[in-house]
Amino acid sequence: MHAHEDSTPSRYDLLVVGSANADLVVGVDRRPGPGETVLGSDLVVHPGGKGANQAVAAARLGARTALLARVGDDAHGRLLRTSQQEAGVDTGGVLVGGAPTGVALITVDPSGDNSIVVSLGANARLTPEDIKAAGPLFAAARVVSVQLEIPLATVAETARALAPGARLVLNPSPPAPLPDEVLAACDPLVVNEHEARYILGDSAGSTPESWAKGLTALGPRSVVITLGAEGALISDTRGGDPVRVPSPRVDAVDTTGAGDAFTAALAWRLGLGEELTEAAAFAVRVGAAAVTKQGAQASFPTAEEVSAL
């Protein structure tokens, strides 16, 4: 599986620290206004949450993956743990209890537009102390990937917990102000257009190249901007101008989870020792494969499906 193992013992190619949600999805003819009741389709419950999505995406590609997350002691929590285990993720770091499992309530209209209410639940109870207690997981991981559906203090503790030589991949979603110490640890910071504009504010400029320049100035070691069907743009402070990485052309069916699949693939390949350009070229193909199928985790490709693109 791994052509170039290095000398440091690592049990995990990727440790994902993040959220695990049950996505409760109902189709509606139109989304209800205040005080209005509309009838919808049968409820579908999917395992979701950015952390859980990334862990499944990486494991399905063949990465040795662990998830550090918190779920409730309830049916949704059991669903999430089962879906991780079926994908091959090590769930020893999935903590149970403290609050109900996080839930996303999603209504989808015929045009595909959705409205989402997120109840963070147990995700909001993943604490810095939980990170400190997970020392062995961090010691065994080459790359740690984190997002912002957990408390910012927990994200900051994650940045401090990295093993020597390990790298941190951060997708600041949903976007929030980031402490300098977290930004400085990012290698890379992975953002889409919306997240880039949020972080840069009025100084954003109008091109991905200008966002890359502005984001790099904030201190991360490298920056990756995802551009949907256009692929990605990478900027590495270790050298040169931003580089565009084109995506293969595919028929997009459902973009849910594609960003999570991209980031997981990128993080895994960086852990295998690939350069950022090479890792991003693989990751855009994974993201492209993910949009060709419905759903988030259900759409994540295997390595064979990526090569077939």
Side-chain angles (χ1 to χ4, degrees):
M1 201 76 215
H2 305 278
H4 37 266
E5 290 286 3
D6 58 32
S7 54
T8 53
S10 73
R11 281 180 39 225
Y12 304 113
D13 299 317
L14 181 62
L15 168 62
V16 181
V17 179
S19 55
N21 287 333
D23 290 351
L24 277 49
V25 186
V26 178
V28 290
D29 286 338
R30 57 190 171 77
R31 287 170 283 167
E36 183 184 13
T37 300
V38 299
L39 296 179
S41 64
D42 288 350
L43 174 72
V44 183
V45 182
H46 298 292
K50 289 181 188 303
N53 284 352
Q54 283 192 12
V56 166
R60 202 164 285 166
L61 289 166
R64 296 170 303 180
T65 309
L67 176 64
L68 174 52
R70 186 174 280 280
V71 297
D73 184 8
D74 50 31
H76 289 149
R78 287 188 287 280
L79 166 80
L80 284 156
R81 291 205 309 279
T82 303
S83 67
Q84 294 291 318
Q85 288 156 1
E86 285 173 352
V89 176
D90 184 326
T91 57
V94 178
L95 306 166
V96 178
T101 300
V103 168
L105 305 169
I106 307 172
T107 52
V108 186
D109 71 17
S111 75
D113 277 339
N114 57 21
S115 291
I116 306 180
V117 176
V118 174
S119 162
L120 287 172
N123 294 309
R125 303 339 191 255
L126 186 67
T127 62
E129 286 64 40
D130 292 333
I131 303 301
K132 289 184 181 126
L137 275 179
F138 282 90
R142 256 169 228 232
V143 181
V144 177
S145 178
V146 66
Q147 326 77 38
L148 301 188
E149 290 181 330
I150 56 175
L152 268 173
T154 304
V155 174
E157 189 59 45
T158 299
R160 290 191 283 268
L162 295 179
R167 58 197 291 173
L168 183 74
V169 177
L170 169 64
N171 171 221
S173 178
L178 291 165
D180 289 345
E181 62 162 332
V182 172
L183 278 167
C186 296
D187 193 12
L189 176 72
V190 182
V191 293
N192 63 16
E193 174 179 346
H194 165 68
E195 292 147 7
R197 288 182 182 279
Y198 173 91
I199 293 170
L200 293 168
D202 297 336
S203 67
S206 57
T207 66
E209 280 74 11
S210 68
W211 309 332
K213 196 173 171 187
L215 291 168
T216 303
L218 295 175
R221 297 179 194 184
S222 54
V223 171
V224 174
I225 301 172
T226 58
L227 302 170
E230 298 306 307
L233 177 81
I234 65 163
S235 170
D236 196 326
T237 48
R238 297 184 263 280
D241 292 322
V243 179
R244 291 238 180 195
V245 179
S247 168
R249 292 276 164 233
V250 292
D251 288 327
V253 175
D254 180 357
T255 59
T256 313
D260 298 330
F262 172 93
T263 303
L266 180 79
W268 172 45
R269 302 305 278 215
L270 290 171
L272 295 184
E274 291 187 0
E275 291 300 320
L276 192 55
T277 320
E278 193 185 357
F282 176 75
V284 294
R285 291 178 30 227
V286 171
V291 302
T292 62
K293 291 192 203 159
Q294 286 288 349
Q297 294 181 14
S299 74
F300 296 156
T302 61
E304 290 74 22
E305 288 168 325
V306 177
S307 337
L309 263 192

